Each structure stands twice: as C-alpha cells, then as structure tokens.
Amino acid sequence: DDDIMTTSFLIRSYGVSTMTFASLTFKRTRMISTKSAGVTTRSGVRFPSLSSLSSETQQKVMFLSFPRGRSSIGGEARRLKGGWWSSSSYSSRSAIRILSGSHSSPNNKPSDLDTSYLPLYAADWARVDLPPGHRFPMEKYLLTREAIEKESWEFLKYSMRFSPTATKEDVLLVHDKEYVERVLTQKLTREEARTIGFPMSEQSDGYASKFLSEDETKRGEQHVTRSLASTGGTIKMTRDVLEHGFMWAGQLAGGTHHAFAGHGEGFCVFNDIACAVRVAQRDYEELFEGEDRNVLIVDLDVHQGNGTAKIFENDKNIITYSIHGDRNYPWKTRMLSDYDIALPDDCEDEEYLNALETSLPKVFEKHKPFLVYFQAGVDALKADSFGRLSMTREGLRRRNNLVLALCVEHDCKLVTTMGGGYAKPIERSIECHSDVFRIMALKHKAIMEERKYLEKMVT
C-alpha cells in the first residue's frame, strides 16, 4: 500500500508518467521509529542503530561529496568518525546524513563514477553576502539543495557533489581577456557592476567614485568565486556526460545566459553554458567532427538568453532556442537566437506549452543534437517578481517533462542548469527549481533500471 501511495504521489506531484514507473523496481525500506535505540548527534538529530536495520541498509550512507581539504557546504569541515560534519548554522542534515558513525566512510557513498546515479552539483558553498533588501534571492541555491535532499538519494538515485571552480583558461575560451582580468582583480567600474546587477556595497546609491570601495572589493571577491563555481559546475557536468559515461547531469546553479564575451548583464558575470560548450569543442574535438554533430541549447528562462545567442551567432553547429516573454528584459540588448519564440504578458500554461510542443520537437528532428543544454529557469511562474507570464507549477512540470522526453527519444546527452526564479515568497520558486531536478532524477532512474533489466534479460 505504501508503494502504491508513493507512486501516486509522485505521478501527481512531479508529472512522472505511469509508463515511467512501470520500469522501476521499488525497494521497500522499513521506517524506524525515533524512539528506537540509536545514535544522537551533536545537533540533536537521531539516527537508528545499525542492529535495527537490514544488512543491505547498513551499507548505505548518505552525504554530500566534498573534496578533502576544502570547506564543506555551510562552513568549516571537521572530521567526525570518518565523515565530514559542518559546524556552521547550516542544517546538519544537509551537510551529511549518516545511519551510524561506525559506517560513515566516504567509500559508502555512490562512487563518483557510478553512472547509475544522476550527478547533481551544488555551488552554494560559494556564498555571497548581498546587501539587505537586495532583489536577487541568493539564498535560493541553498534552499533548493535542501529541498532536494529531503528525498533519499537512494530513492531518487542522485549523487550530490561540490561544484568546482572554472579555470581562467577555460573562461578565456569565451570571454575577452580584458573583461576577465577586470572581474578577477575586482576592477570593474561601478557602471559595469550596475549593469550586472550586483551593487557591491551596503548602499544602493552613491556612485560618486568611478571605482569600487574597499568594502565593495571584498564583496566582489565573493562574486568572483561564485561566478567561477557556477561556471565550473557546468563544465564539470559536460565532462561527466562526454567523458565519464553519464547520460545526464544537473547543477543547482548556472544558466547565466545574459553574460556576453566582453561584459556581464542581468545577474550574469560569466556565461557558464558558453564556456562549457567551448571546453567541449576544445577537449573533445573528435565528437564535433562532421556537419551534423550539433549541440542544442534549450533556454526556457522567461528572459531571452541574449548573451548566449550573441556568442554563438556564427557557429552553425551550436543551435540556440529560446522561449521568453516578449515584453520582458532584456529590452535594449536582445539578440537573435536561431529560434526565438516571444510570448505575450500573462501567458498561461496551455499557450506556453502549445508553443513549446509545436516547435521544439521540430528543432530536435532537424538538427539531431548529440548534446543538449537545458537552461531550466522557472521565472515564467505567475508568482515570479520579474516574469510577467502566468504559468503554474504543474505547467512547468509538463514543460520539464517535454524537454526530457525529447532527450530520451533522440538519445541526447543532457546538461541542465538552474536559471532564474524570483517569486515572492521565494519558496514558490524553490518548489519549481526542485521539481526540475527531482523529475530529472526519477526519469534517469527509470531509464537506468530499464537498461539494467534489458541487459539481464539478454544475458
């Protein structure tokens, strides 16, 4: 009965089809009462004792993958019986989840090379202290990760990882050297910082000086790290799918599509997807041999991906597709994508989905991409502060499913980035961001289970 209820809930909540669940093998896990004998951590989190669990469950340890010697998400990392523990105010449940201290070795987590798990990258370790009242919801990255981690990684079959920082060499494949140097050394002018949208002092006005103050420079260092982390995460996902045998990968960050080669705009410093594509063209040149070896960028953020469109305007093998609000930002710097579909204000689910369903399948069929980047912004939600459209959470789920289904149908490698989401309250956006990666994980799990089953049948 529990399995039937769980299946029903996921079908209703995440738009997962009954056909998807037909190929899933459910493994029942008996819930252990917190009153049972067990382990209580410093934070008061109680875990059942190993003796109360099955031998299979004893071997399962759930925690984030942090590189040794570096800070964990949320604060200074300290060793605790072979595992990593966060000492900051961030949720201890988010930093590490263990069943028992005696079995908390990193060897018990999913291997970084286990392709049956969907790799998800988190960049919220790169914290930025924005001024109070700033309109950009920086906290959404942490909140989205925590929302996803409420689901067992064993059930969804994902592996949460630490987004690495991009190298300067990789960033320079896309961005002008002078601009990169100004960003890395915090030498952006106030006008450049204002265009990006991150004023780097506690005062929102007072642009008397052309260059940033010492306080602003300190804040700028955080922005540099964050920009390199979100870019590095997308590059790492690209390597995962092209080199390490993964089918799909996702990052709870990125999608910074307003960044041009020589300047940033709209909360975007470096264009992470563009950098990842250029790295792929450089390091996996053989995969791009032939006129039909195409990469498709599906940008469903409510704002047109103007920077991405401009960067790839002369690259015939990189196809840019964007559905966005017609009267929305960017107004003065809008560029021409290969495919642009502009929707009117207050556009609802059916109109949006009709535009998507009548155009995107044709793009897949015509260009037959082997690699797809999905900019999965959720700012088309009606509750979004900047969106101007009127989509529902259910409509966005259907949108996500359509993109994923096309990637399955055309056997494409897929890299998904987070994109925009600015609802008030921000929890409305968090729900939709989380849906993107939950649905992605469930479909990925179903495909992996089906492949495993068919291989078993053959042998």
Side-chain angles (χ1 to χ4, degrees):
D1 291 343
D2 290 342
D3 284 349
I4 293 172
M5 290 177 65
T6 301
T7 304
S8 175
F9 169 76
L10 288 166
I11 291 172
R12 286 184 284 105
S13 298
Y14 304 130
V16 181
S17 70
T18 53
M19 286 300 293
T20 297
F21 274 91
S23 63
L24 283 173
T25 301
F26 282 91
K27 297 182 180 178
R28 297 179 61 87
T29 302
R30 184 166 60 91
M31 298 301 294
I32 308 298
S33 170
T34 56
K35 295 181 181 179
S36 304
V39 178
T40 302
T41 67
R42 291 188 186 186
S43 61
V45 180
R46 190 175 181 83
F47 298 98
S49 63
L50 283 177
S51 61
S52 65
L53 302 174
S54 67
S55 59
E56 178 184 0
T57 306
Q58 288 182 32
Q59 304 303 315
K60 298 176 181 178
V61 178
M62 300 180 289
F63 63 97
L64 279 170
S65 167
F66 300 118
R68 292 180 180 272
R70 298 191 65 174
S71 296
S72 69
I73 293 180
E76 179 184 356
R78 295 181 293 175
R79 290 299 301 272
L80 177 63
K81 296 183 180 180
W84 293 97
W85 200 261
S86 171
S87 61
S88 78
S89 60
Y90 280 42
S91 167
S92 297
R93 291 178 183 269
S94 301
I96 180 172
R97 298 168 191 243
I98 58 175
L99 296 179
S100 170
S102 62
H103 284 290
S104 58
S105 164
N107 292 330
N108 288 337
K109 73 181 180 67
S111 165
D112 286 348
L113 297 180
D114 187 343
T115 58
S116 67
Y117 288 84
L118 174 70
L120 295 178
Y121 288 86
D124 58 87
W125 64 268
R127 189 190 70 194
V128 177
D129 299 315
L130 288 175
H134 193 278
R135 60 182 180 168
F136 188 85
M138 193 66 71
E139 70 276 12
K140 76 173 188 173
Y141 300 104
L142 168 65
L143 294 175
T144 300
R145 175 172 60 80
E146 290 185 330
I148 293 172
E149 288 180 324
K150 290 178 181 178
E151 304 278 0
S152 161
W153 60 261
E154 268 298 301
F155 174 68
L156 289 183
K157 299 284 282 189
Y158 69 85
S159 173
M160 192 69 76
R161 306 165 182 218
F162 190 94
S163 294
T165 54
T167 66
K168 179 179 177 181
E169 179 185 17
D170 290 344
V171 173
L172 287 172
L173 292 174
V174 170
H175 295 283
D176 296 346
K177 182 177 180 180
E178 293 76 12
Y179 172 63
V180 173
E181 290 291 346
R182 289 200 304 278
V183 171
L184 298 182
T185 59
Q186 294 94 56
K187 298 298 184 182
L188 292 176
T189 66
R190 288 189 181 277
E191 186 60 33
E192 287 177 307
R194 185 189 297 185
T195 300
I196 291 173
F198 290 129
M200 298 176 188
S201 78
E202 294 183 357
Q203 300 181 10
S204 60
D205 54 7
Y207 290 87
S209 172
K210 181 179 180 181
F211 295 99
L212 302 177
S213 66
E214 182 178 348
D215 180 62
E216 292 171 315
T217 299
K218 180 180 179 180
R219 200 182 306 273
E221 293 173 353
Q222 294 180 324
H223 280 290
V224 170
T225 303
R226 173 183 174 271
S227 300
L228 290 174
S230 61
T231 302
T234 304
I235 292 172
K236 183 60 172 67
M237 289 192 291
T238 301
R239 294 193 185 283
D240 282 347
V241 300
L242 295 184
E243 180 178 348
H244 300 304
F246 289 90
M247 183 177 72
W248 296 347
Q251 183 181 208
L252 281 59
T256 47
H257 57 171
H258 297 309
F260 288 75
H263 71 277
E265 289 184 7
F267 306 135
C268 303
V269 179
F270 298 135
N271 195 307
D272 63 306
I273 291 177
C275 289
V277 171
R278 292 304 188 211
V279 167
Q281 290 175 317
R282 179 195 66 193
D283 294 350
Y284 309 100
E285 184 178 0
E286 68 281 0
L287 297 178
F288 292 84
E289 294 177 355
E291 294 185 358
D292 59 343
R293 300 296 289 169
N294 297 319
V295 174
L296 174 61
I297 300 172
V298 178
D299 192 332
L300 301 188
D301 193 281
V302 79
H303 307 103
Q304 193 223 27
N306 55 341
T308 307
K310 180 63 177 177
I311 289 168
F312 293 117
E313 65 178 351
N314 295 318
D315 195 326
K316 65 179 182 179
N317 292 113
I318 311 301
I319 313 303
T320 53
Y321 172 98
S322 175
I323 290 187
H324 48 266
D326 187 27
R327 298 180 60 192
N328 215 323
Y329 175 90
W331 302 282
K332 297 180 180 180
T333 59
R334 188 168 296 185
M335 299 292 153
L336 287 176
S337 307
D338 292 301
Y339 299 91
D340 279 313
I341 300 176
L343 299 173
D345 286 359
D346 302 317
C347 175
E348 297 181 347
D349 290 351
E350 294 309 316
E351 183 177 2
Y352 184 103
L353 293 169
N354 180 65
L356 186 66
E357 291 169 350
T358 57
S359 59
L360 189 56
K362 296 177 182 177
V363 173
F364 269 82
E365 186 61 37
K366 178 179 179 179
H367 298 285
K368 296 178 171 53
F370 74 94
L371 173 61
V372 173
Y373 289 86
F374 178 22
Q375 207 279 21
V378 299
D379 38 9
L381 188 69
K382 185 174 183 178
D384 198 88
S385 299
F386 305 146
R388 302 179 71 102
L389 301 191
S390 296
M391 291 194 73
T392 66
R393 182 181 180 185
E394 175 60 26
L396 288 170
R397 290 192 195 111
R398 290 167 60 189
R399 177 202 76 169
N400 301 334
N401 272 303
L402 191 149
V403 175
L404 296 177
L406 287 170
C407 289
V408 173
E409 179 183 350
H410 292 271
D411 195 23
C412 305
K413 297 286 189 175
L414 172 64
V415 170
T416 299
T417 62
M418 193 165 168
Y422 314 96
K424 292 184 179 180
I426 193 58
E427 284 73 19
R428 300 290 297 279
S429 291
I430 301 305
E431 292 171 348
C432 296
H433 281 310
S434 302
D435 285 344
V436 170
F437 299 101
R438 288 195 190 103
I439 292 171
M440 191 176 174
L442 285 167
K443 287 191 178 294
H444 183 272
K445 175 183 177 180
I447 295 167
M448 293 296 105
E449 291 284 352
E450 182 180 34
R451 287 182 178 179
K452 185 177 179 180
Y453 173 78
L454 292 175
E455 290 174 359
K456 182 179 179 180
M457 291 295 293
V458 170
T459 56

